[in-house]
Each structure stands twice: as C-alpha cells, then as structure tokens.
Amino acid sequence: MAGMRATGVFGVFGSLAASLNLAVSAAAADPVQRPPHAAWFGGLGGAYSHVDLKQSMIGVSDPTSVYKDGVLVATGTAGGPVVPFGLSEANFAPQGQVGYFAHFPGSSLLWGIKLTYQYDNADVDRRELIPQAGQFTPVGGSPDSFTGNVVIGSSRTRVSHQLTLFPFIGQSFGQGFVYGGGGPMLLNVETDIRNAIGFADINGQHTDITGAPLNFSSNDWVWGGGFQLGVAYFLSDLWFIDINYTWARTLQPSNGYSDQFTSSFVQSGSTIMTEGGANLYVSDRLTTQSVAISINRAF
C-alpha cells in the first residue's frame, strides 16, 4: 500500500510538471509581445533628418526712368537668366506620431494609417549674385544694351514643421510587423531675402540703380508627397518600438516679390535719379529624408 501511495504522489507531481512544461512551451511559442489584432497608437521619438534645397532665382525690373537734373533722359528694363543652386543641411529632428492599424480577418496582413509631425529645424543661408541683362533708350535716341547684376546680401530659407499622413500595409511576424506606405506631406517654409541691390554697367560705370537695399520675406505651407518603410517591434502587449525611413519631396511653387525703388547720385556735377519697380522670382523644391526611432503605446 505504501508503495502504491508513493507511486500515486509521484504520478501527480509528474503530471503537474508535464502540464507546467507544456504551458511554458506554449508561452514561448505564442509570446505575449505579439501585435494586437487592431489598435490605436501614439508615440514620441526623434529622427536624423536631411533637408535638400534646390532653388532658382530671376530678377526682373519694371520700366525704369532715368532723370538728369530733374529732366527725363532715358528709360530701360532689365531681366536676368534664371540662376539655379542647391544647399543641404542635416540635423536631429524631434518627432511625434499617432495612428491606427488592424489585421485583415484571418490573415497576418494588416493595414493602417499614421500621422507624423517632425520639427526639421533646417536653416540654410547664402549670399547670391544674380546676373542681369537689359537695354536703355535715351530720349530721342536708339536703344543700347547693358549688363549688370543683383547682389543679395542674405538669402535664408528655414524649414521647420513637417506633417505626413501615410496609409500603409504590413505583414506581422510574431513580435511585430514590417510595413510600407505613402501619401501627402505638408512643409512649412520661411524665406528671408535681405539687402538686395540692383547694379548696371552703363558706359563703363558700375552703377547702383535701385538705391537703398530691398528686403523680402514669406512664410508658406507647401504640399508634397512621399513614402515610408518601417518595422514595429512589440516589447509587451502594449508598448512597441517603431523604426522607419521616410523620403518626401515638395511641389515646386514660385514666389514673386516686388517693391518700388528710387536712387540718386551725382555724376560730372549733375544729379542722376532712377526710379522704377524691382521684381524677384524665387522657385523652391525641397527633399527631406529621415531615419527615425520612436517608443509607442497601443490603446
């Protein structure tokens, strides 16, 4: 009888051990960290962001009048060739995101949508020299050509706020999912052009035509589009890390800046005065690339 009781006790413990082993094996095979079937989520993180600016400028004048001692002696116009150039900047950009994902019924495939805000904080500044060509016509005379340039003391472009709204599709894999998607992008671009002066080379003299430096500025929200590839890895049933790469590009809008000018100087004992309108046309295209990591919570 004692042997039978001992056998029964060991049998019970053996059964409990076997059950515990099965439970541990099942937990290992089906971990808690798997992505939920569907969830809203939100997170914070940062990105290494690279902003590339492609810009072109052209300066054009309205008909300009030239006076000598108060008497109109000539009129003229000027317009340059388009001057393209490029600059870029890379830095750290804080980021926040909210979104939603859900698996298709009975499938490891999923769909979702994500709204991301990123503060790019890119700031590029340069000095520009824009060539000019034009003609002036003396009163009662024949037109003559001249060359010149527009000197811009500082042309500054700041890229600050970036918003992307990307639908995506993905494939879950046990403790997370990989995904890819794309959609619209909205970018805040500020432009400041300072100390712009128009010069003309007339009769061998380099002459300040526009007088006091002109300043222009604008603050615009620019549309664009892009795509994103990423991976989400769940640390628990609610918390996950999101790592992604994003490429986006704006459309190429143009801004036109205009102002009136008056300039006067003394030449050979006579007072020469010019007056007219100055126009500067600026076209921007911005491309942003970023690699981001964020910690997110599912709800």
Side-chain angles (χ1 to χ4, degrees):
M1 293 293 291
M4 292 177 62
R5 285 197 298 272
T7 301
V9 170
F10 283 119
V12 170
F13 278 109
S15 297
L16 288 173
S19 299
L20 181 60
N21 184 57
L22 287 174
V24 171
S25 299
D30 188 17
V32 176
Q33 293 96 318
R34 66 185 184 278
H37 177 75
W40 291 93
F41 65 89
L44 295 173
Y48 178 77
S49 176
H50 182 275
V51 176
D52 183 64
L53 169 67
K54 293 291 187 294
Q55 190 176 74
S56 60
M57 289 186 177
I58 182 172
V60 178
S61 72
D62 294 337
T64 301
S65 299
V66 182
Y67 298 88
K68 182 177 181 180
D69 295 328
V71 178
L72 179 67
V73 294
T75 59
T77 58
V82 175
V83 179
F85 61 90
L87 289 170
S88 63
E89 182 173 304
N91 55 15
F92 172 78
Q95 188 184 92
Q97 62 181 19
V98 294
Y100 176 80
F101 69 85
H103 285 80
F104 292 102
S107 173
S108 59
L109 295 175
L110 55 87
W111 65 273
I113 189 168
K114 179 162 59 169
L115 173 66
T116 302
Y117 167 78
Q118 183 170 296
Y119 184 67
D120 286 303
N121 195 30
D123 192 335
V124 292
D125 194 358
R126 65 273 173 204
R127 185 175 185 272
E128 288 300 318
L129 186 67
I130 304 174
Q132 295 277 279
Q135 68 175 22
F136 69 96
T137 305
V139 174
S142 300
D144 198 359
S145 63
F146 68 90
T147 59
N149 51 66
V150 177
V151 177
I152 297 177
S154 171
S155 179
R156 185 178 186 184
T157 302
R158 290 188 294 272
V159 179
S160 50
H161 312 291
Q162 177 176 314
L163 291 166
T164 57
L165 183 64
F166 289 167
F168 62 86
I169 58 173
Q171 169 74 55
S172 61
F173 60 86
Q175 288 185 230
F177 58 85
V178 294
Y179 65 92
M185 181 259 285
L186 194 59
L187 200 64
N188 182 235
V189 182
E190 299 175 68
T191 301
D192 283 301
I193 298 171
R194 302 293 176 188
N195 300 322
I197 303 174
F199 291 91
D201 297 316
I202 300 175
N203 298 325
Q205 294 188 0
H206 195 60
T207 306
D208 178 354
I209 298 297
T210 58
L214 303 176
N215 301 313
F216 309 102
S217 64
S218 63
N219 189 333
D220 303 302
W221 286 92
V222 182
W223 285 101
F227 67 87
Q228 185 175 88
L229 302 173
V231 57
Y233 185 85
F234 276 75
L235 305 173
S236 70
D237 56 342
L238 294 178
W239 292 93
F240 68 93
I241 293 175
D242 181 19
I243 302 173
N244 58 68
Y245 165 77
T246 303
W247 180 95
R249 173 173 287 176
T250 66
L251 302 175
Q252 195 164 4
S254 295
N255 277 327
Y257 307 98
S258 300
D259 202 354
Q260 297 298 306
F261 65 83
T262 300
S263 174
S264 63
F265 55 93
V266 176
Q267 185 180 75
S268 301
S270 298
T271 300
I272 307 298
M273 186 180 75
T274 60
E275 62 179 16
N279 306 284
L280 186 65
Y281 299 98
V282 182
S283 179
D284 293 326
R285 168 162 282 177
L286 289 141
T287 302
T288 67
Q289 298 184 74
S290 59
V291 177
I293 183 169
S294 61
I295 182 71
N296 299 261
R297 189 183 191 279
F299 298 93

